[in-house]
Amino acid sequence: MRLAHLWDQSACIGCGACIAACNAANYGSSTRENRTWGWIRSNIRRITFDLKAKPYMLLVQCQHCDNAPCVAVCPTGASYRDKDGLVKINPALCIGCKYCMTACPYGARWLDDETGLPMKCMGEECQSRVAAGLEPVCVAVCPAGARAFGDIDDPNSEISKRLASGRIIRLLEYKGTEPKFFVRVGP
Ligand code: SF4
Ligand code: SF4
């Protein structure tokens, strides 16, 4: 089993519902800041830039890399790749050294300045939901159907079917991280 995320950029309406839902579910709608990103306490970040003077938006979150640098550098085993394919943090083992934050080429981790520990997708609430057979909140709330989550080793899963149609890219693939956050960029 390899659980993965898909974000359909061509269907996304940029409403930010997934970002807000992550904040509410995993961080109790806390108004405290995610200072690492200058953002709300959410594991999803919106990045905008101009591409040949055309505005472009990406949603970036943990890519649940199959070859994860954050796992490789973690000195205690707190960052680990679980048997479901998701990369997780065991807070009981984390010493807050931040090696994982430095190693992640996606900047997908942020520091909780209250606990001194790194945070990232999946948050605790989303892990509980997935364990119960539910979708992560970002997928569940998306009003545009721009997100999917599931097992890419199962050819009958919705995510596998959506991966088989349309043009798919993976971010910073050349880094060799084998990311499992798939971006659908075209019809
Ligand atoms: S995106 Fe970053 S935090 Fe997530 S698995 Fe890959 S290296 Fe680790
Ligand atoms: S909730 Fe869906 S449509 Fe809204 S920003 Fe997130 S992915 Fe895009």
Side-chain angles (χ1 to χ4, degrees):
M1 173 185 274
R2 284 188 306 149
L3 296 175
H5 281 268
L6 176 142
W7 171 57
D8 186 338
Q9 188 197 40
S10 57
C12 178
I13 56 174
C15 65
C18 52
I19 296 168
C22 176
N23 166 261
N26 293 304
Y27 304 105
S29 293
S30 167
T31 52
R32 278 191 299 124
E33 209 185 337
N34 161 359
R35 286 194 202 158
T36 310
W37 297 349
W39 196 238
I40 64 170
R41 291 164 68 83
S42 173
N43 299 321
I44 308 167
R45 181 166 46 152
R46 177 171 20 213
I47 296 177
T48 52
F49 48 94
D50 281 345
L51 206 62
K52 292 186 182 162
K54 188 176 162 208
Y56 197 83
M57 184 195 87
L58 271 181
L59 295 182
V60 178
Q61 61 197 72
C62 176
Q63 316 282 303
H64 296 285
C65 308
D66 276 344
N67 185 26
C70 60
V71 173
V73 300
C74 180
T76 67
S79 284
Y80 67 103
R81 184 184 179 284
D82 208 346
K83 55 185 181 306
D84 60 10
L86 297 176
V87 173
K88 300 176 182 171
I89 304 171
N90 179 349
L93 293 179
C94 182
I95 56 173
C97 67
K98 310 184 197 69
Y99 287 5
C100 56
M101 294 179 67
T102 305
C104 173
Y106 303 91
R109 292 176 177 235
W110 55 278
L111 193 70
D112 182 338
D113 52 17
E114 198 165 75
T115 62
L117 301 180
M119 297 286 138
K120 71 170 199 67
C121 167
M122 317 273 287
E124 278 184 18
E125 175 62 21
C126 287
Q127 288 188 46
S128 301
R129 288 177 61 92
V130 170
L134 301 172
E135 295 171 322
V137 286
C138 59
V139 180
V141 301
C142 178
R147 287 177 170 269
F149 176 84
D151 183 6
I152 55 173
D153 285 343
D154 174 2
N156 295 315
S157 66
E158 190 202 333
I159 190 169
S160 292
K161 289 177 186 162
R162 287 175 71 169
L163 284 172
S165 67
R167 193 171 151 237
I168 305 287
I169 62 168
R170 296 190 295 173
L171 306 179
L172 305 182
E173 202 171 2
Y174 67 93
K175 298 268 187 189
T177 52
E178 293 297 328
K180 298 199 299 301
F181 179 83
F182 297 89
V183 182
R184 191 169 189 270
V185 290

